[in-house]
């Protein structure tokens, strides 16, 4: 089944404790993105990648890192999480620009 | 910066009623996407519109993009409880960024 998977789905952590949210897609998509969704602010792009080893900042990249060592994986790294990073995070992928983007199931993160 | 405005922000309808959700941009849209999100869950792709005047339908949901490509509407015919959720419109900014409206929360009362 073609899909985008994320892990973990739920995560509670404390301020400053490094964490990684994994994202994987099995559709051979070139483009991958990370978004966060917050009430009243909607979905905002954090980082995106157009191919292996090619990443760039989105609208809200502060406090996040990403890497794209393989085509299928695009992990999101929070080196030192803070409470304002409490949010619902989505990974997404698409074959190329201006084509349908498919989303993962989301990761709900709570930073205490 | 480009923004998408959705209206209404929330909608409560009786089962069986028709409804329309609108998505408006101040600039020409190059690609307009409709997604549905169950509360706190992932986004499910519904439809993509690219050409001015284009209209697509899937089951009881119809989406249209106006000729100027600045406004899209999503119409649900004979709504059912399964249609409940948050409907999001998204658009390509041209720089590998898909930006979104803030969503319309739909409640369908049985």
């Amino acid at each position: 089944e073609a899909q985008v998977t994320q892990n973990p789905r739920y995560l509670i952590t404390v301020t400053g404790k490094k964490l990684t949210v994994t994202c994987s897609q099995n559709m051979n998509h070139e483009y991958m993105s990370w978004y966060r969704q917050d009430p009243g602010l909607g979905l905002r792009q954090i980082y995106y990648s157009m191919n292996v080893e090619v990443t760039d900042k989105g609208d809200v990249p502060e406090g996040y890192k990403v890497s794209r060592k393989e085509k299928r994986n695009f992990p999101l790294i929070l080196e030192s999480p803070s409470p304002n990073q409490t949010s619902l995070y989505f990974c997404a992928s698409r074959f190329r620009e201006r084509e349908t983007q498919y989303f993962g199931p989301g990761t709900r993160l709570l930073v205490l | 910066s480009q923004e998408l405005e959705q209206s209404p922000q929330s909608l409560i309808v009786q089962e069986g009623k028709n409804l329309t959700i609108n998505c408006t941009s101040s600039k020409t849209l190059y690609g307009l996407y409709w997604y549905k999100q169950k509360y706190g869950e992932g986004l499910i792709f519904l439809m993509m519109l690219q050409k001015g005047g284009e209209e697509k339908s899937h089951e009881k949901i119809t989406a249209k993009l106006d000729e100027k490509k600045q406004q899209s509407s999503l119409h649900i015919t004979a709504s059912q409880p399964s249609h409940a959720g948050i409907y999001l419109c998204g658009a390509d900014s041209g720089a590998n960024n898909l930006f979104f409206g803030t969503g319309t929360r739909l409640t369908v009362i049985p």
Side-chain angles (χ1 to χ4, degrees):
Chain A
E1 181 190 355
Q3 59 184 349
V4 180
T5 56
Q6 294 178 231
N7 282 293
R9 294 290 314 279
Y10 304 92
L11 181 59
I12 301 174
T13 189
V14 295
T15 298
K17 187 175 181 182
K18 181 180 178 179
L19 67 92
T20 300
V21 184
T22 64
C23 171
S24 184
Q25 51 92 6
N26 62 1
M27 296 172 277
N28 200 37
H29 285 170
E30 302 280 336
Y31 290 74
M32 297 185 75
S33 293
W34 275 103
Y35 295 84
R36 60 179 288 175
Q37 186 178 36
D38 302 289
L41 296 175
L43 275 159
R44 294 177 293 168
Q45 192 183 51
I46 303 170
Y47 267 96
Y48 66 91
S49 169
M50 292 183 283
N51 212 327
V52 174
E53 303 292 2
V54 181
T55 63
D56 207 347
K57 296 176 181 178
D59 298 319
V60 287
E62 295 77 21
Y64 304 95
K65 285 176 59 176
V66 292
S67 69
R68 187 96 180 270
K69 293 184 169 53
E70 305 166 281
K71 197 173 190 178
R72 62 183 292 131
N73 296 325
F74 190 44
L76 180 70
I77 303 156
L78 284 71
E79 294 270 0
S80 183
S82 62
N84 65 12
Q85 292 178 299
T86 292
S87 188
L88 179 57
Y89 290 87
F90 290 103
C91 180
S93 73
R94 55 178 165 176
F95 186 62
R96 53 173 170 252
E97 200 171 357
R98 297 189 183 174
E99 291 204 359
T100 301
Q101 187 157 211
Y102 295 94
F103 285 79
T107 295
R108 191 171 289 280
L109 172 65
L110 173 61
V111 183
L112 300 172
Chain B
S1 64
Q2 196 163 5
E3 291 183 350
L4 290 174
E5 193 171 315
Q6 279 187 244
S7 63
Q9 289 188 340
S10 64
L11 194 53
I12 302 173
V13 299
Q14 201 76 38
E15 182 176 359
K17 295 293 186 184
N18 303 336
L19 63 102
T20 299
I21 298 168
N22 294 303
C23 176
T24 303
S25 171
S26 57
K27 299 180 182 179
T28 300
L29 298 166
Y30 292 100
L32 191 286
Y33 306 80
W34 283 101
Y35 289 87
K36 178 186 173 186
Q37 183 182 22
K38 286 287 192 183
Y39 305 117
E41 296 182 10
L43 280 70
I44 300 165
F45 170 72
L46 296 175
M47 276 171 273
M48 173 182 163
L49 304 165
Q50 288 184 304
K51 299 176 185 176
E54 188 174 8
E55 180 176 321
K56 288 186 178 178
S57 293
H58 177 67
E59 297 180 344
K60 295 185 177 180
I61 301 176
T62 300
K64 301 178 186 178
L65 183 61
D66 74 340
E67 290 289 343
K68 289 185 178 179
K69 294 172 54 175
Q70 287 187 274
Q71 186 167 11
S72 178
S73 61
L74 186 84
H75 184 78
I76 298 177
T77 304
S79 58
Q80 301 168 348
S82 60
H83 288 128
I86 300 171
Y87 289 82
L88 293 156
C89 64
D92 279 302
S93 71
N96 193 44
N97 188 3
L98 198 66
F99 62 98
F100 290 85
T102 51
T104 295
R105 186 180 292 264
L106 172 64
T107 303
V108 180
I109 301 172

